[in-house]
Amino acid sequence: MARTDHRTMRRVLRREIAGTIGLLTDEHDFRAMRRYRTFTFDDHLTYLRQIEALLRSRAAEGTHTTLALFDPEEYAEFCTATGLDPDDPASRTRFTAQLAATGPTVPYDGRPLTDLVPALVDEAVRQATWEYASTLLARLGPCPTCGEDVGRAAFVRASHLLTRILDTAPAGNRHLVCSVSGPPETLVTVLHADRNSDGTTHLDEAEALEFTSVLALGLATNSPGGLVMRTSAAGAPDRVYGWRLRGNDLGPLTAGEVFDAYCTDVESGDLISPESDVDYCAPPDLGDQETPSGHHH
């Protein structure tokens, strides 16, 4: 009887343990791991099927599982830095545990991996973009003229502008895209911010942080860039409008400029037929009352 009770308690405790699976999302990373003798899978598709079966099994037992992006290069660097044997399953477990604490993850919620993998990759890109933008902002340091932290001032300014954009947008689903051009690459960030008819705005904090950081970087460095918003509400045409980055501010795009941007093929320059039931328009006035001025030196 005591042995049975102990087994029952262990089963109950297993449900209390959260787990993380480091996922090899593409064929290239999978092949890189095959160089380790203890990595026994030889087919990526079979590997993904087994992972999905394991996820369903754990969910059926009431166990929570998150998925992390397993990068073989980062794993090799981790093993070198910690003195671990990369051809040891325990090393992979320790690396995955670190991913759970510091890396991008998504919870398993019953969706198939074909839906979860893109979400995981998007989360990884979002975190990498935020880290890159934050690092560049921090490197700007203090202004040699007045001593003000340039990156921090730009972040405050970007936060204010984003708040004004959301406050002046109509209720419904709002999809914002901000792009900032500069060496060595263009940064693109997306924010979904839906507002109910009662004025409550719902947004993802991680998305908002990344979006604000990228916008702040563009403002702080006077980089070319722009911000476009698309709003959707039942019973009304979608509205599309935007701004260009202009110094420490946003300059409104005309309806014609927004139309040209959306109805021109980026690669060929050819015209694209405009979408039906979409209004390309000028943005609302953001105003500038009690606006944090940012840094102008």
Side-chain angles (χ1 to χ4, degrees), residues 126-170:
R126 180 163 62 243
Q127 181 166 321
T129 301
W130 168 72
E131 290 176 350
Y132 181 70
S134 298
T135 299
L136 293 184
L137 283 172
R139 286 178 180 173
L140 294 175
C143 171
T145 301
C146 68
E148 183 177 18
D149 189 301
V150 176
R152 184 177 303 162
F155 190 89
V156 171
R157 175 63 175 165
S159 299
H160 174 82
L161 289 172
L162 178 57
T163 299
R164 293 296 302 143
I165 288 170
L166 296 178
D167 286 347
T168 57

Side-chain angles (χ1 to χ4, degrees), residues 94-115:
R94 287 184 58 177
F95 178 66
T96 300
Q98 177 174 285
L99 292 178
T102 61
T105 61
V106 296
Y108 177 68
D109 55 9
R111 286 181 292 167
L113 281 182
T114 51
D115 293 338

Side-chain angles (χ1 to χ4, degrees), residues 89-235:
S91 301
R92 294 195 287 274
T93 301
R94 287 184 58 177
F95 178 66
T96 300
Q98 177 174 285
L99 292 178
T102 61
T105 61
V106 296
Y108 177 68
D109 55 9
R111 286 181 292 167
L113 281 182
T114 51
D115 293 338
L116 286 172
V117 166
L120 179 58
V121 172
D122 287 346
E123 181 65 26
V125 171
R126 180 163 62 243
Q127 181 166 321
T129 301
W130 168 72
E131 290 176 350
Y132 181 70
S134 298
T135 299
L136 293 184
L137 283 172
R139 286 178 180 173
L140 294 175
C143 171
T145 301
C146 68
E148 183 177 18
D149 189 301
V150 176
R152 184 177 303 162
F155 190 89
V156 171
R157 175 63 175 165
S159 299
H160 174 82
L161 289 172
L162 178 57
T163 299
R164 293 296 302 143
I165 288 170
L166 296 178
D167 286 347
T168 57
N173 299 328
R174 284 89 64 85
H175 180 83
L176 296 87
V177 179
C178 178
S179 61
V180 173
S181 300
E185 58 184 326
T186 297
L187 296 180
V188 179
T189 178
V190 175
L191 177 64
H192 301 86
D194 301 337
R195 189 173 76 182
N196 298 333
S197 56
D198 63 1
T200 305
T201 298
H202 301 278
L203 50 80
D204 182 275
E205 292 185 4
E207 276 191 1
L209 183 59
E210 178 211 0
F211 192 94
T212 306
S213 298
V214 172
L215 176 58
L217 182 63
L219 297 174
T221 58
N222 293 317
S223 299
L227 191 158
V228 175
M229 170 183 274
R230 180 171 185 147
T231 65
S232 304

